[in-house]
Amino acid sequence: MDRQAILSAILDSLPYPVVFVDCDFIIRYMNRMADYHYHTERGYPCLIGRSLLECHNQASREKITAAVEKLKNHGNEVFIGVSVKNQRLYINPVRDEKGELIGFFERCEMNLQK
């Protein structure tokens, strides 16, 4: 099994959606749970190759853009908020071997706070 297949299998085994987006806000990867959530549950067509910003309202676009600016300035994970499904939403940087931002991934986790 090659490295890409192993990494995809690992990401597909996570119990929450993971979406990778490049620095131009283009969706490049969605794990199995993200595909299920956005395609099956929410009814979006295939999102790979589409702009993440097209999928959000103006307030959300501004929040996402501001979070990515923090990541560009060598920031770490940014908390975005809590979804209607009571999931905490985060944006995490993905950097190349030189430390340059190449994109980010959006991830969710159950909100255990009351």
Side-chain angles (χ1 to χ4, degrees), residues 52-63:
L52 177 72
L53 301 179
E54 291 175 7
C55 304
H56 292 84
N57 64 32
Q58 185 62 32
S60 294
R61 285 193 294 263
E62 290 171 6
K63 187 179 271 190

Side-chain angles (χ1 to χ4, degrees), residues 27-52:
I27 299 168
R28 299 295 177 188
Y29 176 84
M30 297 171 66
N31 74 344
R32 179 182 51 81
M33 286 302 293
D35 185 61
Y36 177 80
H37 173 71
Y38 292 108
H39 181 68
T40 305
E41 290 183 337
R42 307 242 352 241
Y44 286 104
C46 180
L47 296 174
I48 302 296
R50 293 186 57 198
S51 173
L52 177 72

Side-chain angles (χ1 to χ4, degrees), residues 26-105:
I26 303 300
I27 299 168
R28 299 295 177 188
Y29 176 84
M30 297 171 66
N31 74 344
R32 179 182 51 81
M33 286 302 293
D35 185 61
Y36 177 80
H37 173 71
Y38 292 108
H39 181 68
T40 305
E41 290 183 337
R42 307 242 352 241
Y44 286 104
C46 180
L47 296 174
I48 302 296
R50 293 186 57 198
S51 173
L52 177 72
L53 301 179
E54 291 175 7
C55 304
H56 292 84
N57 64 32
Q58 185 62 32
S60 294
R61 285 193 294 263
E62 290 171 6
K63 187 179 271 190
I64 292 166
T65 302
V68 172
E69 285 303 313
K70 288 181 185 178
L71 299 180
K72 286 180 181 176
N73 291 317
H74 299 285
N76 293 320
E77 178 177 79
V78 176
F79 173 68
I80 298 298
V82 178
S83 75
V84 296
K85 292 176 92 174
N86 197 32
Q87 294 176 324
R88 296 174 60 84
L89 305 174
Y90 296 90
I91 290 179
N92 294 76
V94 177
R95 301 184 189 284
D96 65 14
E97 62 279 349
K98 296 177 186 172
E100 297 297 320
L101 187 70
I102 60 170
F104 58 92
F105 67 93

